[in-house]
Amino acid sequence: IKGCGLERRKMGDEDIVLQDLRGFLQRDGGPSSLFDKTVMATPVAAIKALLGVVQRSTATTMMGLQDELKQARDIMIEDFKTRYPSNSRGGSLIALSSGCDLFLKYVTRSFLELPDFEACRQEVLERGERFAGISVAARDRIAQVAADFIQEGMTVLTHGWSRTVASVLLEAAKVKHFDIIVLEGRPDATGAKVAQAYASHESKIPTKVVL
């Protein structure tokens, strides 16, 4: 009976972790999502999902908390592999894994600085939230700085689906006229989807797709 209860609890935790991750990523596949500033980068979404694990954790030791975080990491990575074919995952799986590993290393370092478990747990939550907030704001900051590198009449070559790149181009398009050339990006035609997104956006940046 105890084993069944533990299994049900694990399944419940698994559902919550994946629900959190998918909610943060908001992968709807629509062209408008390329310009949605509320959508988090994959590593930040992974860290936010792991912060939820820390908040819900009933562990009383750092080893127990680390085990829960590692299980959550494995759950997210396996789900990602299942939901997205190997030929369309690209760097997103690497980004997901990197975000998880970065957070786990940070938790370990925090415990070395604060041996008291509860104090360490609170510090991890506070710093983790600040880190996530800074990361989300960084996209706008990058757009403001990088937009200066795009000159009037320039042709910009882009590749892949990147909200950061989109933010840069839209920021530059406020005061400059330029063209975009997008590589098609086989096998999933990501570039074609990006071109469709730019074509439907109010900025109306002239865009061409190169096969």
Side-chain angles (χ1 to χ4, degrees), residues 49-119:
L50 291 177
L51 281 172
V53 174
V54 176
Q55 290 174 332
R56 295 187 298 271
S57 175
T58 58
T60 56
T61 64
M62 179 53 63
M63 183 174 294
L65 178 59
Q66 287 178 321
D67 285 343
E68 290 184 11
L69 290 171
K70 289 177 181 177
Q71 289 175 8
R73 174 197 61 190
D74 294 343
I75 287 169
M76 289 189 288
I77 290 175
E78 287 303 315
D79 178 73
F80 204 93
K81 290 178 179 178
T82 301
R83 288 170 62 84
Y84 301 101
S86 59
N87 60 1
S88 65
R89 284 197 294 262
S92 297
L93 180 59
I94 297 175
L96 176 67
S97 179
S98 297
C100 291
D101 290 342
L102 177 66
F103 186 76
L104 285 168
K105 289 178 181 178
Y106 167 69
V107 169
T108 300
R109 188 174 71 249
S110 296
F111 183 63
L112 295 176
E113 297 174 357
L114 295 169
D116 180 76
F117 175 72
E118 189 55 36

Side-chain angles (χ1 to χ4, degrees), residues 34-35 143 161-172 194 198 205:
L34 180 64
F35 312 113
W161 180 285
S162 170
R163 293 183 177 87
T164 301
V165 171
S167 296
V168 172
L169 296 176
L170 293 185
E171 182 68 23
V194 168
Y198 285 121
I205 305 174

